[in-house]
Amino acid sequence: MNIALVFAGGTGIRMRTTGKPKQFIELYGKPIIIYTLEVFERHPQIDNIIVPCVAGWEKYLADLVEKFHLKKVKKIITGGVNTQESKLKALNAIRSTCKDNDIILLHDAVRPLVTEKMISDNIMCVKKYGSAVTAVPFTETGIISDNGEETQKTIIRNTLYIAKAPQSFYFKDVLRSHTLGQNMSYSITIDTVSLMTELGEKVHLVPCTTTNIKITTPEDYYIFKALVDLKESRDIFGM
């Protein structure tokens, strides 16, 4: 099986909203998380979707899943106090039904511009190499500064990539890594590919477009809106 774990545990402090967590903010009457879930729902290779949800919003999400007819969402669980805990809780929640070589795709609820191709490429990459991290080349000059005031070093940008999502692995490998990650610092284990790399694993890169953004600020929301509007214009006018 191919299982998507779509994490909706954030509260969205940087979004500066006073009500809903960022994943439930709407665009044209549809919450951001639904845009995300619909891509996985439509993908023919995705069998099940599991959603770790911010505490107190589980029923709200369940109602949305029903309203938008998302049949592949099999479980909504309460997320942990941080990303690492949410991932381990989600993996343990499917432990009794997963086989070692089931493919797990980890994705952010607030990354709604994931495409069918990105999902397909992740699945194919895991089958070929055993792992996948969706990534884009770094296009700016990288600067290291210990104090935030002066440069200590610049980094050659053609060696740098920005890790995005999905990040995909065989179930046995990602469960083992996140179990080991309980004894490591939170700063290291917040991201699965960072955890895997810290544990000495090689993770294969899967290219994606720069539009695969994570919505964490109001500016991100308006970029998302512009990209949705552009796609709609292309669909209508054949642009």
Side-chain angles (χ1 to χ4, degrees):
M1 288 198 302
N2 302 315
I3 302 166
L5 302 186
V6 179
F7 295 91
T11 55
I13 294 171
R14 283 175 289 177
M15 188 60 77
R16 301 193 293 273
T17 58
T18 56
K20 297 177 181 177
K22 58 187 176 181
Q23 58 269 29
F24 298 116
I25 296 171
E26 295 184 0
L27 176 65
Y28 300 131
K30 183 188 296 185
I32 291 170
I33 188 173
I34 299 300
Y35 281 92
T36 305
L37 292 173
E38 283 181 338
V39 183
F40 288 94
E41 176 80 17
R42 291 191 298 265
H43 197 287
Q45 290 180 276
I46 295 297
D47 299 296
N48 294 331
I49 303 169
I50 312 297
V51 187
C53 181
V54 61
W57 290 82
E58 300 92 341
K59 175 65 165 56
Y60 186 86
L61 177 56
D63 290 342
L64 288 175
V65 166
E66 183 176 354
K67 176 181 177 181
F68 288 93
H69 311 292
L70 301 176
K71 305 300 183 185
K72 291 184 181 179
V73 177
K74 302 301 182 184
K75 286 186 180 181
I76 296 170
I77 65 172
T78 303
V81 296
N82 56 44
T83 304
Q84 162 69 356
E85 186 177 313
S86 291
K87 289 178 179 179
L88 191 55
K89 285 185 71 172
L91 292 167
N92 282 325
I94 59 176
R95 194 169 189 168
S96 62
T97 57
C98 269
K99 297 178 181 177
D100 283 352
N101 286 338
D102 285 343
I103 294 175
I104 309 299
L105 298 92
L106 299 98
H107 195 72
D108 308 301
V110 289
R111 205 180 281 278
L113 294 171
V114 60
T115 65
E116 181 175 326
K117 185 179 187 306
M118 291 176 205
I119 295 170
S120 297
D121 287 349
N122 267 256
I123 293 170
M124 183 172 62
C125 188
V126 174
K127 288 180 178 179
K128 186 173 182 179
Y129 299 105
S131 63
V133 54
T134 312
V136 294
F138 201 76
T139 57
E140 305 286 351
T141 299
I143 295 173
I144 295 175
S145 175
D146 293 334
N147 58 17
E149 297 177 359
E150 301 170 326
T151 61
Q152 270 76 47
K153 185 179 179 181
T154 59
I155 305 173
I156 301 172
R157 66 187 179 193
N158 62 9
T159 65
L160 295 179
Y161 291 80
I162 301 171
K164 293 180 176 285
Q167 297 180 10
S168 307
F169 309 90
Y170 286 120
F171 177 71
K172 61 182 174 59
D173 296 330
V174 71
L175 176 62
R176 171 185 170 274
S177 296
H178 276 286
T179 301
L180 291 173
Q182 293 178 95
N183 300 318
M184 298 169 67
S185 73
Y186 173 63
S187 62
I188 291 173
T189 59
I190 187 171
D191 184 88
T192 303
V193 70
S194 301
L195 172 59
M196 288 284 197
T197 303
E198 188 68 19
L199 291 170
E201 302 291 337
K202 299 290 186 183
V203 183
H204 198 82
L205 300 182
V206 173
C208 76
T209 62
T210 56
T211 56
N212 183 19
I213 62 172
K214 186 176 182 180
I215 301 174
T216 56
T217 67
E219 291 79 9
D220 296 330
Y221 174 84
Y222 288 110
I223 292 171
F224 171 51
K225 180 179 182 299
L227 290 168
V228 169
D229 290 344
L230 177 61
K231 181 181 183 302
E232 185 174 325
S233 295
R234 284 174 171 168
D235 291 343
I236 293 172
F237 300 110
M239 294 170 59

